Amino acid sequence: VSTGPTLELKVTSTPGEIGKAHRALIRFLEDLGVEAETVSAVALLVEEAVVNVFRYGFENEGVHVVHVTLEPHPTHVLLGFQDDGREFDPCSVPPPDLAVPCEDRPIGGLGIHLMRNLADRMEYRRTAGQNHLTLRVPRPGTT
Amino acid sequence: MPLRIELTETKPGYHEMILAGQLDTETYEELDAQIDQLLQQELKAVRVDMSGLDYLSSMGLRVLLRLLKVLREHGALFLVAEVQPQILKVLEIAAALPSESIFASVEEADRYFDAIQKQVLEGD
């Protein structure tokens, strides 16, 4: 249960929206004194998670929405993502084979690999026709 | 912040690229277009100065990997210099670049290229 401030963002699949979300979350986290390393990881995770939904979650080209929540804690930042795209569990995607030169690896999966490595917890559930993804980003000096 | 790209051929086949700002979902196509232009030219090496690049996402990384692949196919070098820590972390997680491609400074990268060129010339 969070007792501190949270940020809720509605990110749509129109150009420029991820940049707008970035600016809002950077301002929010910096105002709370969250360290630059964590801010940078959060910004990247938000882009990766949202882009994944827009790329793989929908059949049609319409404007889609991902609801994002940020919940800073002393030891970590919790990120929540919710969308009504097709069911997709990023936790089920196998990790890439790092022994293969990066440029020869299949396209895709890179974003999820970054998510797995920057977050120390990644949880997915599907309820009431919605995807819910939670990522926990550790803050430095707290592990 | 948008992406800024400066590309200069300083020696025959040696291209210096300065990347600054953000290389991500919203800007990667600009670099893709620059790579298409590069392919029209002689290619011995591309040295990328990343001192001003402060954000890299997987979409941006894919374009850098395309550049790496193209250069390998041409037998050319890909040298990266002055990478900020958060960008280095992304490159390391993705195991994107061999450590010998990453240099602390552009001068160091240039010296490496000159040494390789000398070896090639002496070998001829």
Side-chain angles (χ1 to χ4, degrees):
Chain A
V1 178
S2 170
T3 50
T6 61
L7 178 68
E8 294 187 9
L9 297 166
K10 187 177 144 188
V11 187
T12 64
S13 55
T14 37
E17 280 289 298
I18 291 174
K20 226 161 81 183
H22 273 170
R23 287 190 290 279
L25 73 87
I26 289 168
R27 197 168 50 237
F28 170 72
L29 293 174
E30 284 181 350
D31 284 352
L32 291 171
V34 174
E35 50 294 327
E37 184 183 337
T38 307
V39 176
S40 181
V42 168
L44 183 57
L45 288 170
V46 167
E47 173 173 342
E48 299 299 346
V50 168
V51 166
N52 248 343
V53 172
F54 293 151
R55 183 169 311 143
Y56 304 114
F58 299 95
E59 297 279 359
N60 61 59
E61 301 258 314
V63 174
H64 303 289
V65 180
V66 180
H67 294 274
V68 182
T69 54
L70 272 78
E71 207 179 281
H73 294 262
T75 57
H76 61 274
V77 179
L78 268 188
L79 304 180
F81 302 88
Q82 188 190 334
D83 67 86
D84 63 354
R86 74 166 70 105
E87 184 169 359
F88 174 66
D89 178 3
C91 306
S92 67
V93 176
D97 181 357
L98 297 182
V100 175
C102 199
E103 70 275 19
D104 296 331
R105 284 179 224 149
I107 295 288
L110 202 50
I112 292 172
H113 180 61
L114 290 176
M115 283 158 61
R116 270 207 186 98
N117 281 272
L118 290 170
D120 64 1
R121 198 182 295 165
M122 180 158 106
E123 287 168 358
Y124 170 83
R125 66 193 160 84
R126 177 86 177 175
T127 47
Q130 301 269 326
N131 294 305
H132 298 265
L133 178 67
T134 308
L135 298 173
R136 200 185 103 122
V137 188
R139 294 179 63 176
T142 56
T143 49
Chain B
M1 191 205 284
L3 177 68
R4 185 167 63 84
I5 308 170
E6 280 178 36
L7 192 58
T8 318
E9 187 175 8
T10 54
K11 301 169 205 170
Y14 191 67
H15 303 266
E16 295 184 358
M17 182 185 284
I18 298 173
L19 288 181
Q22 302 196 339
L23 180 53
D24 58 15
T25 309
E26 293 178 356
T27 61
Y28 75 95
E29 287 172 335
E30 296 169 41
L31 182 59
D32 235 4
Q34 288 282 352
I35 294 173
D36 291 339
Q37 279 191 19
L38 257 181
L39 287 175
Q40 312 299 318
Q41 302 175 45
E42 184 190 0
L43 281 176
K44 286 181 186 165
V46 175
R47 185 261 278 149
V48 186
D49 175 351
M50 290 195 177
S51 57
L53 188 71
D54 42 40
Y55 182 78
L56 174 68
S57 75
S58 65
M59 284 306 287
L61 191 51
R62 282 195 188 98
V63 186
L64 287 178
L65 292 174
R66 179 185 166 224
L67 178 57
L68 175 65
K69 191 170 188 173
V70 162
L71 292 173
R72 289 229 167 118
E73 285 165 1
H74 282 74
L77 294 171
F78 184 45
L79 312 173
V80 171
E82 301 192 27
V83 187
Q84 293 188 30
Q86 71 276 22
I87 307 291
L88 194 58
K89 192 170 181 181
V90 171
L91 295 175
E92 284 173 353
I93 290 172
L97 298 178
S99 57
E100 62 268 23
S101 295
I102 302 174
F103 296 84
S105 69
V106 290
E107 293 78 15
E108 207 180 296
D110 291 348
R111 277 198 298 275
Y112 178 78
F113 173 73
D114 289 340
I116 295 282
Q117 280 300 100
K118 204 173 157 198
Q119 279 179 19
V120 170
L121 290 172
E122 283 169 357
D124 282 346

